[in-house]
Amino acid sequence: PEDKVIPGNALVCAADRPFRSLEKFGGAFLDKFECSEVNTAHSAKILNSLSFIDSPGVLSGEKQRIGRSYDYTAVVEWFASRCDRILLLFDAHKLDISDEFRRTMECLKGNDDKVRVVLNKADSVNPQQLMRVYGALMWALGKVV
């Protein structure tokens, strides 16, 4: 089989896919939702039962005020209740937690055992800066969780 991309509207109609109930989030969400399927014939067998869900980035600043055309946190809750692991990525150079990110983390409550925090781009700061970034991140997260 070839690698392919399947649009969200087709995914919710496919009886062999676990996405049927995503239809409730409407066309605005389904227009953005898609599945990339990769040929794993020559790869490790575990990849046949592995799915990665890459959500859109969390909005901040002016983009956050404009908002989305679908209920982002409801979609996050839907996936969170069905997944095994949730990775929250923080940029070592931008630790601000926007209102949307705060709401997203709040909707993950009850899934705490699945959540892991990843400090992205940590290799781009020196050890002293890394300790400052780590402390600032823990302080910021402490206000939310």
Side-chain angles (χ1 to χ4, degrees), residues 25-26 28-29 68-77 100 103:
F25 297 114
F29 167 71
R68 299 180 192 271
S69 52
Y70 61 91
D71 189 344
Y72 179 72
T73 53
V75 172
V76 169
E77 284 176 343
E100 186 177 60
R103 286 191 301 274

Side-chain angles (χ1 to χ4, degrees), residues 9-128:
N9 289 312
L11 286 168
V12 297
C13 293
D16 63 331
R17 305 282 178 160
F19 303 116
R20 292 192 81 125
S21 62
L22 285 172
E23 186 175 32
K24 68 183 175 189
F25 297 114
F29 167 71
L30 294 177
D31 288 344
K32 300 204 180 299
F33 181 55
E34 60 183 30
C35 172
S36 297
E37 210 167 74
V38 180
N39 179 357
T40 59
H42 302 292
S43 301
K45 292 198 185 303
I46 191 151
L47 295 178
N48 291 326
S49 60
L50 187 66
S51 297
F52 289 97
I53 307 298
D54 181 11
S55 73
V58 175
L59 299 177
S60 62
E62 183 64 18
K63 291 179 185 174
Q64 179 178 234
R65 189 186 65 75
I66 295 167
R68 299 180 192 271
S69 52
Y70 61 91
D71 189 344
Y72 179 72
T73 53
V75 172
V76 169
E77 284 176 343
W78 189 93
F79 279 105
S81 69
R82 290 161 176 81
C83 73
D84 296 316
R85 182 70 65 219
I86 301 165
L87 301 177
L88 294 178
L89 296 164
F90 287 88
D91 188 315
H93 300 284
K94 295 184 285 181
L95 291 179
D96 60 315
I97 297 176
S98 68
D99 292 339
E100 186 177 60
F101 203 1
R102 184 179 321 279
R103 286 191 301 274
T104 300
M105 287 191 292
E106 288 168 355
C107 85
L108 293 175
K109 288 190 176 156
N111 293 291
D112 303 348
D113 58 322
K114 300 177 184 181
V115 176
R116 300 295 182 269
V117 174
V118 177
L119 187 58
N120 198 19
K121 302 177 187 170
D123 58 338
S124 66
V125 296
N126 68 43
Q128 186 176 4

